[in-house]
Amino acid sequence: MKWSRVIRTATAQDQSAAEFEIVGDGAERTVRLTGDWTLQALGGTGRRLRQMLEREPAQRFDLTGVERLDTAGAFALVRAAGDGFDPEQVTARPESERLIGLVTEAARKKPKVKREPRGWHEMTVRIGKGVVSTGYDAFDTLVFAGHLLIVFGKSLVNPARIRWASVFSLAERAGLDAIPIVATTSFFIGAVVGLLGANMLREFGAQVFAVELIGIAVLREFNILITAILLAGRSASAFAAEIGSMKMNQEVDAMRVLGVDPFEALVFPRFMALLVTIPLLTFVATLAGLVGGLAVTWSVLDIGPNFFFQRILEYVGPTHFWVGLSKAPVMAAVIAGVGCRQGMEVGGDVESLGRRVTAAVVHAIFAIIMIDAAFALLYMELDI
């Protein structure tokens, strides 16, 4: 015997609330849905439908009487029908059938638990990520260098494009303001080299050769190396922080919107400023290092200034000074390029700014030491 039972979840006055009724019995049992099966109108209907179907399962679902259906209503129907639910059991409008099919497919997907690598696997993954990241960094560096070369070529063709006010202002901050720290550091480096040379050569009775040791070490290596390392920590970090803060505040994006090339307005003036100031600071570092070495040899070995500088001129010569000074343009380009590139890579948060400023200093110092080693090998092969 067939029977009909109606389960209502709303009053008769609220005709838009979600309702359902179970029609028929046995293999012909059908659930007929009416009203609005939406998040706002659903209420507890889905839960009651699930409880009813657990006791008396149905084979068909009639949604032709449903006025509105959203993903919440479709999911309530799918969850109430259980694991054996098939979208083919639903009779509804085409758009409702498509929605129920999509919800059914999404509900049956189980999240995949990704196992975290451990031990040797974790190490190989980190090495692989590091290699890939290095490749991307190298590519981005080439892109940055190419863009900077284009701006440099345009500036050579038309010098009026150069922002001289910014160049001189940055040269003062990166050059004149750095003279005290560069001179002081170079003075003590020269003094340390002189003291080590005097103590070691005294054992062989060759104290006088401490002058040549000081001259070659200061003129050839320590003048440019100390200057570059100090500017890497001083100027590269400042460039990264300045450009990075502008990037965070979307000032760089505003420049592009206004038609201003950030490389021409921000990167190239800093490049020119260091290109001018590093040779001057190298000269200051050379004088300070020689004075530091002179102070030690004069006080420890009783070698006076006249004899000291005479041996510098006769046995050291200007060649070592020009060898050291030849590294200055390359160091300037590396320091400015690394600082500005890291600043341009800053994201929209303070943590990114801190990481990039730290990376600017570390990368610049690493590049300086590598370049100095490359120059040493080159001049050794050239016998200079």
Side-chain angles (χ1 to χ4, degrees):
M1 182 177 61
K2 296 184 179 180
W3 52 275
S4 174
R5 182 172 36 174
V6 179
I7 306 296
R8 298 190 180 274
T9 62
T11 62
Q13 289 79 13
D14 190 3
Q15 298 298 325
S16 62
E19 301 175 353
F20 69 90
E21 61 176 349
I22 299 178
V23 181
D25 193 6
E28 299 180 1
R29 185 178 294 117
T30 301
V31 178
R32 185 174 298 162
L33 280 60
T34 57
D36 294 338
W37 280 68
T38 60
L39 180 62
Q40 292 80 9
L42 193 59
T45 307
R47 176 176 53 83
R48 284 185 285 272
L49 176 60
R50 183 173 69 252
Q51 295 173 353
M52 183 63 67
L53 291 178
E54 287 176 356
R55 295 192 301 267
E56 301 174 3
Q59 287 71 38
R60 301 294 303 175
F61 296 89
D62 185 4
L63 275 67
T64 55
V66 174
E67 298 177 8
R68 289 183 295 178
L69 177 69
D70 63 2
T71 53
F75 181 69
L77 173 62
V78 173
R79 186 172 60 175
D83 297 335
F85 176 74
D86 188 356
E88 297 294 333
Q89 297 174 318
V90 176
T91 302
R93 295 191 299 270
E95 59 272 18
S96 298
E97 290 181 354
R98 287 195 298 270
L99 179 60
I100 291 175
L102 292 174
V103 171
T104 303
E105 182 180 358
R108 288 177 178 173
K109 285 185 177 179
K110 296 182 179 180
K112 295 182 180 179
V113 180
K114 185 178 180 181
R115 296 180 58 187
E116 295 294 332
R118 293 289 185 272
W120 175 260
H121 185 201
E122 182 183 8
M123 186 182 71
T124 56
V125 169
R126 294 183 65 179
I127 293 174
K129 289 182 178 180
V131 172
V132 173
S133 178
T134 302
Y136 282 124
D137 285 342
F139 178 77
D140 293 340
T141 301
L142 292 176
V143 173
F144 181 90
H147 199 162
L148 184 59
L149 286 175
I150 292 174
V151 174
F152 184 73
K154 291 180 180 179
S155 300
L156 288 179
V157 175
N158 185 13
R161 299 172 63 96
I162 301 177
R163 300 171 183 265
W164 294 107
S166 299
V167 172
F168 288 121
S169 175
L170 292 166
E172 180 182 2
R173 286 196 288 132
L176 297 180
D177 293 347
I179 287 178
I181 184 64
V182 169
T184 303
T185 306
S186 299
F187 175 85
F188 286 107
I189 290 294
V192 169
V193 173
L195 187 61
L196 290 175
N199 290 333
M200 294 180 63
L201 295 174
R202 183 182 295 172
E203 299 178 1
F204 306 98
Q207 300 93 321
V208 69
F209 291 106
V211 177
E212 284 81 349
L213 176 63
I214 294 170
I216 294 175
V218 172
L219 293 176
R220 191 181 185 96
E221 292 293 338
F222 287 118
N223 55 358
I224 181 60
L225 197 60
I226 296 302
T227 301
I229 290 176
L230 288 175
L231 287 184
R234 189 177 184 275
S235 299
S237 60
F239 293 168
E242 291 167 358
I243 298 178
S245 61
M246 297 179 67
K247 189 80 181 298
M248 288 176 56
N249 295 329
Q250 298 183 346
E251 296 178 39
V252 176
D253 297 333
M255 286 183 179
R256 292 193 175 98
V257 171
L258 294 174
V260 178
D261 187 0
F263 277 76
E264 189 173 334
L266 300 176
V267 178
F268 186 71
R270 287 166 170 78
F271 174 80
M272 288 293 296
L274 287 189
L275 199 63
V276 172
T277 57
I278 282 189
L280 300 177
L281 290 175
T282 303
F283 180 73
V284 172
T286 303
L287 295 179
L290 292 178
V291 171
L294 172 61
V296 171
T297 55
W298 197 359
S299 60
V300 176
L301 302 178
D302 198 22
I303 296 177
N306 292 332
F307 183 75
F308 182 88
F309 287 109
Q310 181 181 358
R311 290 192 67 88
I312 290 290
L313 291 176
E314 291 180 359
Y315 296 101
V316 178
T319 301
H320 295 291
F321 172 74
W322 293 114
V323 167
L325 196 63
S326 65
K327 306 173 188 177
V330 180
M331 300 295 187
V334 169
I335 295 171
V338 169
C340 295
R341 180 184 175 274
Q342 293 297 330
M344 296 293 288
E345 295 294 328
V346 171
D349 56 342
V350 180
E351 184 182 357
S352 175
L353 178 63
R355 288 199 310 268
R356 292 298 177 177
V357 172
T358 303
V361 177
V362 175
H363 292 179
I365 293 177
F366 178 78
I368 287 167
I369 296 175
M370 292 294 294
I371 291 172
D372 185 73
F375 270 109
L377 294 175
L378 175 63
Y379 287 132
M380 184 179 65
E381 291 293 331
L382 296 176
D383 196 20
I384 297 177

